[in-house]
Amino acid sequence: LGSMTATGNISFVFTGTSTAPFFLPVSIGTGSIPSTVVANNNQIGGINVSASSTGAVNFRVMYAQPVAGSKVTFSGNTIGSPTVPNSIQQLTNSLLIGILFLNPSTDGVFTNNTICNLTGNNAAGTTISVRGIDVQGAGGRHTITGNSVYNLTSNGATVSINNAASVVGINMTASALGGNIVSGNTIYNLSNTNPTAAAWVNGITVSAPPLPATASPVTRNNIHSLSTLSPTSGMAGIFCLGTGGN
């Protein structure tokens, strides 16, 4: 979908003033019946999202929100060209997420995906957030392993420090059951280039499930080369929210 050799192969331009629209190049599992969702071995790149007015567009490259009881697998996808800088760009004041999963189900599998060269370019943007893999599942026992997330950049002024930080490599939050595994992922070259914003860059953001839920180990991830420019900014290799059973 799009191009793995050039930028701007697909250009979505929003002409309105609303901040509510979504742009979902791949949207799956959004029906009302529990389903088995398999999204494997896709290549997506060369996409720009912009606005000609004051509006903003929530940009989710691959998105799934199936109902409880569904089983989801995302494996072997390449989102953003490994060889083209700024392969996928968000130019409005909103989100850019490589893979977003919102679901109360259990046992999701997110393995061996590559998310790279994603750019949020809106220096005045106070809600712009660039994320590689974002799993927000009220269930649990999700597996996030063997993924490569790199060259994620924002120049936005977002000041959140949690899963809504300006740049997040992998996010795993909202799990009620615990038992998640976040292991063996490689995350690097995450940056915020705004020189004055109190922006935050996180390699991995996780929330601890409430006790006595099963612990969710975060192990053997290789995280390096995080950067910011502002003297009031911050960064964390692994940022843990809450005090549950991680």
Side-chain angles (χ1 to χ4, degrees), residues 20-47:
F22 293 87
F23 180 57
L24 312 172
V26 177
S27 178
I28 52 181
T30 55
S32 60
I33 300 174
S35 56
T36 298
V37 177
V38 178
N40 293 350
N41 303 318
N42 298 283
Q43 293 187 329
I44 305 171
I47 305 175

Side-chain angles (χ1 to χ4, degrees), residues 4 20 32 57 63 69 78 88-89 96 115 165 187 196 209 217 222 227:
M4 302 304 282
S32 60
V57 179
Y63 169 63
T78 301
I88 297 178
Q89 296 190 73
L96 168 56
I115 295 92
I187 302 167
T196 59
N222 183 9
S227 65

Side-chain angles (χ1 to χ4, degrees), residues 34-198:
S35 56
T36 298
V37 177
V38 178
N40 293 350
N41 303 318
N42 298 283
Q43 293 187 329
I44 305 171
I47 305 175
N48 294 343
V49 169
S50 62
S52 61
S53 184
T54 58
V57 179
N58 191 310
F59 184 8
R60 306 170 178 187
V61 182
M62 297 189 74
Y63 169 63
Q65 192 174 3
V67 297
S70 300
K71 300 299 180 184
V72 176
T73 300
F74 283 80
S75 182
N77 300 290
T78 301
I79 300 175
S81 169
T83 59
V84 179
N86 308 313
S87 175
I88 297 178
Q89 296 190 73
Q90 164 67 285
L91 304 178
T92 79
N93 183 23
S94 191
L95 306 181
L96 168 56
I97 305 176
I99 295 173
L100 176 61
F101 174 65
L102 302 175
N103 181 264
S105 291
T106 59
D107 305 305
V109 177
F110 307 85
T111 61
N112 300 321
N113 300 286
T114 297
I115 295 92
C116 60
N117 287 317
L118 272 57
T119 300
N121 186 3
N122 188 315
T126 56
T127 59
I128 189 168
S129 176
V130 179
R131 307 173 201 167
I133 299 173
D134 190 352
V135 177
Q136 300 183 39
R141 300 197 304 265
H142 302 300
T143 299
I144 307 174
T145 58
N147 301 285
S148 295
V149 181
Y150 59 94
N151 295 354
L152 272 54
T153 302
S154 174
N155 65 354
T158 304
V159 296
S160 297
I161 65 173
N162 53 19
N163 60 303
S166 70
V167 181
V168 181
I170 293 176
N171 175 58
M172 172 67 249
T173 57
S175 173
L177 299 178
N180 305 293
I181 298 172
V182 183
S183 180
N185 302 287
T186 300
I187 302 167
Y188 61 97
N189 287 353
L190 310 186
S191 63
N192 182 288
T193 58
N194 190 303
T196 59

